[in-house]
Amino acid sequence: MQNPTENKAITIYDIAKEAGVSPSTVSRVLTNNVNVRQEKREKIQGLIEKYNFTPNAMARGLSDTKSGVIGIVAADVRNPYYAEVFVACENAAREAGYTVLLCNSLSVTEREFLHLEMLQQQRVEAVIQLGGRADDLVSNEEYVERVNQLTATIPMVVTGKLDDTKCYEVQIDAEQAAELLIEHLLGLGHRKIALIGGRKNVTSTYAKYLKYRELLEKHGIEYREEYVIDGSYDYETGYFGMNQVLELEDIPTAVIAINDFAAAGAVRSAVDHGYRIPQDISIVGYDNTQLANLMIPKMTSIDYDYATLGRKLIDTAIAAARGRKVPRHQKVTPSLVVRESSGQVAERRKTEAEA
């Protein structure tokens, strides 16, 4: 390899490139951080000696300078839920005199790794993770190891959980959210309630599923496996899941969609099949994003008080970055917003056009 010092001063990035590692790994060697494998440490140390590399005083000083920046890693900002949470965080950060740096992982684990690495290099004061690996019911061991390397120097706040880490958790109370929706439908006389969307290996989804089963049992209602349609968190899941529900011999009178995206798909499927909402079938969902108010009919949905959620995330991140004591676990209380898509159970009638 051509000596990188021939044309310019050696930098940490040159060392990293020749060693085949990230700049943050070189930084950890320079600061005697223990979270570097011995083989890599020796290779990096050899290059440091080879080029007589010494980080300049300004670069060293950066580690002691507060950046005033909080990094945010979102699973997918195309999802209105993540967009709402991010805007709430951005507003709260601005009020606190901070700025935010958004990274979008598109729910790809490798991108999450890269984003954490980049944020560490950017010397953000704290990292907030919205979804992604922090949503796993069983935490990914490799990701936990990487997060532990990060939190050795930078605090991290998640909206889910990461077992065996020092992350702070600010969670929406998923059990209460499910209870609000189910009790609402039960109060309208519904006893045949289906669930559409979501994966049970996601912490919040699994909590909602367990609450669903618990409340059915409490009210003496038989649990029916065919009423639970797993899937993803998108429009297609709602549409095709609803198609499946409407093919059952005993069609439910109400459907709970995992989010507003899935609810929109479920509504379209019901209309395509000639059903009226809520006269023939009620459809409700979670998230209460702008989409819920734009649908026809307007969607009954669970609201997460995004302003409070964003403020708690930012306040926790700033407090942890400044070394102040802050609770490791906090929950945000959801509320039910009743609109036009849910109604009293009634004998199902098809539209005049289908009749």
Side-chain angles (χ1 to χ4, degrees), residues 76-256:
D76 192 342
V77 292
R78 295 173 300 183
N79 184 321
Y81 164 75
Y82 292 114
E84 293 273 8
V85 180
F86 170 71
V87 169
C89 287
E90 187 176 36
N91 289 338
R94 185 175 62 251
E95 290 176 4
Y98 276 71
T99 57
V100 293
L101 178 60
L102 174 65
C103 302
N104 190 30
S105 72
L106 298 177
S107 297
V108 177
T109 301
E110 185 56 34
R111 289 195 179 196
E112 292 183 42
F113 279 116
L114 293 173
H115 289 323
L116 292 183
E117 195 85 5
M118 181 274 291
L119 291 172
Q120 192 169 32
Q121 294 169 22
Q122 293 291 324
R123 301 185 184 277
V124 298
E125 290 192 32
V127 173
I128 295 173
Q129 180 156 353
L130 312 176
R133 290 276 68 86
D135 276 348
D136 290 343
L137 184 62
V138 178
S139 298
N140 178 281
E141 291 183 6
E142 185 181 8
Y143 199 70
V144 165
E145 181 181 352
R146 178 63 189 90
V147 167
N148 282 333
Q149 293 173 7
L150 174 77
T151 55
T153 56
I154 301 173
M156 184 166 174
V157 187
V158 299
T159 54
K161 69 177 182 64
L162 281 169
D163 299 325
D164 302 319
T165 70
K166 295 181 179 179
C167 289
Y168 297 86
E169 299 172 359
V170 178
Q171 302 169 333
I172 295 162
D173 192 331
E175 291 186 352
Q176 186 176 11
E179 185 167 358
L180 287 169
L181 268 187
I182 295 165
E183 291 288 1
H184 169 67
L185 293 174
L186 291 171
L188 293 173
H190 296 278
R191 295 296 181 272
K192 299 176 182 178
I193 303 171
L195 301 181
I196 291 180
R199 300 185 303 273
K200 294 191 186 71
N201 62 352
V202 172
T203 302
S204 60
T205 300
Y206 188 61
K208 292 168 183 174
Y209 168 73
L210 291 181
K211 179 59 66 173
Y212 168 78
R213 295 201 64 163
E214 175 190 322
L215 290 175
L216 291 184
E217 181 178 355
K218 176 183 175 181
H219 290 272
I221 302 171
E222 177 187 2
Y223 170 77
R224 301 172 66 164
E225 193 70 42
E226 67 271 23
Y227 280 0
V228 179
I229 312 296
D230 293 340
S232 188
Y233 299 83
D234 52 22
Y235 177 90
E236 291 75 16
T237 288
Y239 185 84
F240 292 110
M242 192 67 168
N243 286 350
Q244 189 174 336
V245 163
L246 296 176
E247 290 171 0
L248 296 172
E249 183 175 343
D250 191 8
I251 297 174
T253 62
V255 167
I256 297 175

Side-chain angles (χ1 to χ4, degrees), residues 315-335:
D315 287 350
T316 300
I318 293 174
R322 294 178 178 175
R324 297 202 300 260
K325 188 174 181 180
V326 63
R328 286 283 174 182
H329 310 280
Q330 300 177 71
K331 286 198 174 183
V332 174
T333 303
S335 60

